[in-house]
Amino acid sequence: MHASSFLPRRGAAVLAGLTLALGGVGLRADTPAKQADAFPTFDNYIQIGVQAPSIDRNEAAFQQRTGQSKTTSGGIEAYHQAKDLGSDTTLTMDGRALGGAEDYLAQFNLAKTDLGTFEVGYKTFRTFYDGVGGFFPLDKKWNAMNPQDLHVDRGQFWVKATVKRPNTPEFEFSYTDSSRDGKKDSLIWGDSDYTGLPNNVPPISQVRKMVPSYRKLDERSQNFEATVRHSVGNTTYSLTYVHEKTDDNDIRYGNRFPGEVKPYPTPAATVLLTPDKMNSEIDYSETDGVNSKMDGITGKTETTITDKIKLSTGFGYQDLDATLTGDRPINTLTPTAVGPVWAPSDNFLNLLADSKVKVFSGLVALDFKPAPAFQARVAVSGEDKRTASTGSFTSVGSSVNATTGVVTVTQTPQVMFSRIKEKSLTPEVQLSYTGFRNTTFYFNGSKQLLDGDERYTTPYNPNTASNGTLANNTMDDSHLNANLGFNWAQSSVFNLRGEVFRKDHSNRSIGYNAGLGSSYVLGYKFDGFKVTATVKPLAQLAFTTRYIYQKGTADVAGVQPLFPTYDSMDAENHMFGETIDWNPTRQVYVQANANVVFNVLKTLNGRGGIAVGTGTNASYSADTVLRNSNNNYVSGSIVTGAVLSKEDNLEVRISYYKSDNYNPEVAVLSMPYGAAVKEASVSVGLKHKFSERMIGNARVGFYDSKNDTTGGNTNYHGPLAYLSLDYAL
């Protein structure tokens, strides 16, 4: 529906995130102007509001980018009331009801001194998605679903209770029931020949991944948790039991080569075919069902040995049982003498698998403070994990008689199993030193060492036959995380924080015995630093500068001499940010934010010499097809306000975002996925105090978004109006 009027067409909803949407990224809700105005703060209140957009062009893109409904919406933004039911009992009620935005909340909390609390509530909210695929610049081909606007509703019901009486054990209970329902877009796009590229000229496929797909979600999870906690002497004991259940049944819908079918009879040399006749249309859906149950118990102790030493211990046990179900039917439009015929097949039919996981874990930690300026924590945690899975399904294939169009279907039963044993040990150190004036140094480091053994068989194992032969792998993983930093509060004028960090992870799986399995070594490393400086030359003026640098690589090494070793990623990231807070007078405030990001992820591009095929294709190497992924952008925002009178405040917000990573020139050899977007918004708001019990808010804004990556097909622009009324109860 096109939102063409500012007037409410149905009951109401407000933009719960109007501040973020119209004000840009990084704006603080509690700006310095709060200190300057004399508006009352209500203890008990109700806020009623309405918003009305009037968006031209692509409304689905507006919903996805801003998180707001394209239609007029409104209702109760917030309701809060606390009532004393006695000298020691309080009932607190919170609520929200925003039609259009589909954002609802009802929450009740009952608290009694020296006894405990009881809380029950329900909330649901909607997230918007845009069902689009890719845009191909050579023939201006644009792929979008009909309808294009998708959404997912998330809901949660919960009950919580605590029993806390003096000098007795403390009990906590909670139950949550969460759900996700709806449709969302997927980045697993389908193929298309409609690219405007000729077949085999140049000698590289004319097919591009740009056909949209989506997922239909039907998910539910339940969690029950109970904890008892008690202190005896210098030791606090706690024991927690957790029971979790999931029931998910998701379906992914996709399409390959839509609107295409090969001619009959197909020419012997496919080079004679026009590009849009190279492949036949394929429709598929994939049902993924997960039904699981997990029971776990965790115990913890904390003992204060002296005022300088504290000992912590913990243990845990988890038992998970999961059942996996699903189908992946595929229908291919096949040319025959009697016309195109749909040939059904199925990658897996009636999948039924069961997985059982048992995890034992433990922790010992020592916190000590040998000197007033030095604190340390040394800990060791370990885990023993056992996983066993079995499964079966049916592979379905089909053949089509080219003359009669008769389809013959064949079914082949398949079985599979796996067993994994893993043990890990993770030492950890945390240090803090404050011996230098106004300065704190800290260090955090941990390294997980894991070894295990894996045995499996699967019909998709390249070393096996249809039902698989046994594969054996040893597992050897190492995960290092460390950071070293400082905080220096030089004075009220200057503050400096800095940190260097490293992440070094490797995963090894080496085959042995007769079944070599899948032998590989994967690893990645990230190094970088973060610096934040705050300068406040005047009481009314402050500058906050941030810079983050990160560089990383990922390596893939096979088992020599069978498989080569190569780098699969080279990433570099620079992030610069600046915030300026200025209060020239008690009646005026200004806050400005700016962010500049340079981000590149390199794979094979520019390395050369890696052929994608033989014959004519050998002249094109993989480094020309696999492009670098750039995510460079700039963003900024300004919010300024003024106290016009004792009853009126004025506020103006401006935001801007720009990315320029789209390169349509690569379309001949690859798919241009880089983002090129320009977005801007501006809003003006007025806050008016009608009385000591009533405050009104009015805001009008304008959005403008241009997207070159989609060929302008997801552009949108238009105004948005917002009204609200706060009333003290």
Side-chain angles (χ1 to χ4, degrees):
M1 180 183 292
H2 181 76
S4 59
S5 171
F6 285 160
L7 299 178
R9 291 193 292 268
R10 60 188 179 97
V14 183
L15 168 60
L18 187 69
T19 297
L20 177 62
L22 293 183
V25 178
L27 298 181
R28 296 199 302 261
D30 188 14
T31 59
K34 297 288 185 180
Q35 306 169 6
D37 68 40
F39 282 46
T41 300
F42 301 146
D43 294 328
N44 299 309
Y45 58 88
I46 184 171
Q47 183 180 46
I48 299 175
V50 61
Q51 79 166 18
S54 180
I55 302 302
D56 289 326
R57 299 290 300 274
N58 196 306
E59 295 175 318
F62 164 80
Q63 291 188 141
Q64 190 271 335
R65 291 289 293 173
T66 66
Q68 306 171 50
S69 173
K70 63 184 180 183
T71 61
T72 300
S73 56
I76 300 174
E77 282 195 60
Y79 165 77
H80 177 82
Q81 189 169 19
K83 297 177 65 70
D84 291 331
L85 304 183
S87 59
D88 59 354
T89 305
T90 302
L91 174 64
T92 303
M93 297 171 287
D94 291 276
R96 182 171 59 252
L98 304 177
E102 306 308 319
D103 190 355
Y104 303 95
L105 167 70
Q107 177 177 305
F108 302 88
N109 184 285
L110 185 65
K112 184 176 178 62
T113 305
D114 293 335
L115 179 58
T117 62
F118 175 79
E119 180 177 296
V120 60
Y122 176 78
K123 65 179 179 181
T124 180
F125 64 94
R126 176 165 293 180
T127 304
F128 298 97
Y129 298 94
D130 193 0
V132 299
F135 169 76
F136 201 67
L138 297 186
D139 63 349
K140 310 301 181 184
K141 181 65 176 179
W142 168 240
N143 297 277
M145 293 181 181
N146 185 21
Q148 187 176 325
D149 53 325
L150 309 174
H151 66 265
V152 172
D153 292 318
R154 292 165 168 82
Q156 186 178 82
F157 168 79
W158 71 91
V159 178
K160 298 179 181 179
T162 63
V163 178
K164 190 175 182 180
R165 299 179 63 85
N167 303 317
T168 63
E170 176 184 347
F171 297 90
E172 295 181 1
F173 306 92
S174 68
Y175 169 78
T176 60
D177 189 339
S178 304
S179 64
R180 290 203 311 167
D181 295 282
K183 299 176 181 179
K184 67 185 300 291
D185 61 306
S186 171
L187 289 181
I188 301 179
W189 288 349
D191 314 74
S192 177
D193 280 321
Y194 289 114
T195 58
L197 291 170
N199 179 35
N200 285 339
V201 182
I204 195 168
S205 175
Q206 77 286 349
V207 175
R208 297 291 184 270
K209 290 279 189 179
M210 58 183 187
V211 179
S213 61
Y214 73 95
R215 293 178 62 199
K216 183 179 180 181
L217 305 182
D218 181 9
E219 301 177 353
R220 183 185 180 191
S221 63
Q222 300 175 77
N223 178 284
F224 172 78
E225 185 171 325
T227 299
V228 57
R229 187 179 297 106
H230 191 50
S231 297
V232 178
N234 294 330
T235 302
T236 299
Y237 303 88
S238 68
L239 189 66
T240 300
Y241 168 73
V242 177
H243 176 75
E244 294 181 356
K245 291 180 64 177
T246 62
D247 187 5
D248 298 346
N249 189 24
D250 298 341
I251 306 176
R252 184 190 306 277
Y253 294 93
N255 187 272
R256 303 181 64 191
F257 311 106
E260 303 180 38
V261 62
K262 291 181 180 180
Y264 179 83
T266 302
T270 56
V271 72
L272 301 178
L273 295 177
T274 58
D276 61 337
K277 300 298 183 182
M278 286 294 299
N279 295 281
S280 294
E281 181 172 351
I282 301 172
D283 295 325
Y284 70 90
S285 61
E286 180 177 325
T287 302
D288 299 315
V290 179
N291 190 295
S292 67
K293 180 180 69 174
M294 190 278 289
D295 293 281
I297 187 168
T298 303
K300 297 179 182 179
T301 70
E302 290 188 359
T303 303
T304 302
I305 300 175
T306 69
D307 58 349
K308 297 182 179 181
I309 302 176
K310 183 175 71 173
L311 177 66
S312 302
T313 65
F315 72 90
Y317 171 72
Q318 291 183 352
D319 189 332
L320 171 68
D321 190 347
T323 299
L324 310 178
T325 59
D327 299 291
R328 196 173 191 268
I330 300 175
N331 291 284
T332 304
L333 192 59
T334 305
T336 70
V338 297
V341 174
W342 285 103
S345 59
D346 204 316
N347 283 145
F348 53 86
L349 174 66
N350 297 327
L351 170 68
L352 181 61
D354 184 71
S355 182
K356 299 181 184 298
V357 183
K358 296 183 182 295
V359 182
F360 299 86
S361 59
L363 167 73
V364 177
L366 189 66
D367 295 89
F368 56 96
K369 191 175 183 180
F374 180 67
Q375 298 183 61
R377 177 182 176 87
V378 179
V380 177
S381 59
E383 185 177 272
D384 189 332
K385 183 177 180 180
R386 308 290 177 93
T387 304
S389 303
T390 59
S392 63
F393 62 92
T394 300
S395 294
V396 180
S398 63
S399 61
V400 180
N401 187 301
T403 304
T404 64
V406 175
V407 179
T408 303
V409 177
T410 58
Q411 296 188 355
T412 305
Q414 308 277 17
V415 296
M416 52 189 173
F417 87 91
S418 67
R419 188 269 293 149
I420 303 175
K421 297 180 180 180
E422 300 175 347
K423 292 183 179 181
S424 66
L425 195 66
T426 306
E428 180 180 0
V429 176
Q430 299 179 13
L431 305 174
S432 175
Y433 182 72
T434 58
F436 297 102
R437 184 179 179 182
N438 301 326
T439 305
T440 299
F441 291 93
Y442 62 89
F443 170 80
N444 299 312
S446 67
K447 184 170 185 177
Q448 183 190 59
L449 302 173
L450 181 148
D451 63 81
D453 184 80
E454 178 184 45
R455 294 163 57 88
Y456 66 89
T457 180
T458 167
Y460 297 112
N461 184 343
N463 296 330
T464 66
S466 60
N467 281 337
T469 54
L470 183 64
N472 305 285
N473 291 334
T474 60
M475 303 167 62
D476 179 11
D477 299 349
S478 174
H479 304 282
L480 170 69
N481 295 282
N483 60 299
L484 173 66
F486 70 92
N487 295 324
W488 180 34
Q490 188 269 341
S491 65
S492 60
V493 176
F494 182 71
N495 215 302
L496 183 65
R497 300 190 301 271
E499 179 180 297
V500 295
F501 58 87
R502 160 163 277 205
K503 299 179 181 179
D504 189 346
H505 293 202
S506 68
N507 303 278
R508 293 164 50 91
S509 180
I510 308 300
Y512 66 91
N513 289 344
L516 289 179
S518 300
S519 301
Y520 63 86
V521 179
L522 303 177
Y524 67 87
K525 297 179 182 178
F526 284 99
D527 295 285
F529 63 87
K530 299 183 284 187
V531 177
T532 301
T534 302
V535 180
K536 194 172 184 179
L538 303 173
Q540 301 83 13
L541 182 64
F543 300 88
T544 302
T545 305
R546 303 168 299 276
Y547 176 67
I548 301 175
Y549 172 77
Q550 179 176 280
K551 185 175 179 61
T553 60
D555 303 319
V556 178
V559 179
Q560 301 295 336
L562 298 178
F563 306 101
T565 300
Y566 60 92
D567 298 335
S568 65
M569 181 194 73
D570 186 359
E572 189 168 357
N573 186 42
H574 301 263
M575 300 179 65
F576 173 82
E578 181 69 29
T579 299
I580 302 174
D581 292 284
W582 183 36
N583 290 85
T585 70
R586 290 177 56 85
Q587 289 75 35
V588 178
Y589 70 93
V590 179
Q591 185 185 88
N593 289 275
N595 297 280
V596 180
V597 174
F598 296 98
N599 180 286
V600 60
L601 190 155
K602 301 178 182 179
T603 52
L604 298 176
N605 186 241
R607 301 186 186 185
I610 305 174
V612 297
T614 60
T616 56
N617 284 347
S619 61
Y620 286 85
S621 57
D623 70 308
T624 63
V625 177
L626 300 176
R627 314 301 296 188
N628 292 340
S629 175
N630 295 316
N631 186 28
N632 307 322
Y633 68 88
V634 297
S635 65
S637 62
I638 297 176
V639 55
T640 180
V643 178
L644 303 180
S645 67
K646 292 183 179 180
E647 290 79 25
D648 297 288
N649 280 3
L650 177 69
E651 186 177 76
V652 178
R653 295 175 179 265
I654 302 172
S655 70
Y656 177 77
Y657 171 86
K658 178 183 177 181
S659 63
D660 190 11
N661 307 299
Y662 181 59
N663 182 10
E665 296 179 1
V666 308
V668 175
L669 297 174
S670 184
M671 182 72 188
Y673 290 117
V677 180
K678 292 181 181 179
E679 293 182 340
S681 67
V682 60
S683 70
V684 179
L686 181 66
K687 184 177 181 181
H688 178 72
K689 182 172 68 175
F690 293 99
S691 68
E692 293 299 321
R693 297 176 60 87
M694 185 182 298
I695 297 174
N697 288 275
R699 183 178 296 274
V700 61
F702 188 87
Y703 289 94
D704 185 72
S705 176
K706 296 181 174 63
N707 193 322
D708 291 340
T709 308
T710 62
N713 290 283
T714 57
N715 292 358
Y716 61 85
H717 62 270
L720 180 145
Y722 165 77
L723 294 171
S724 72
L725 189 67
D726 295 9
Y727 183 76
L729 301 174

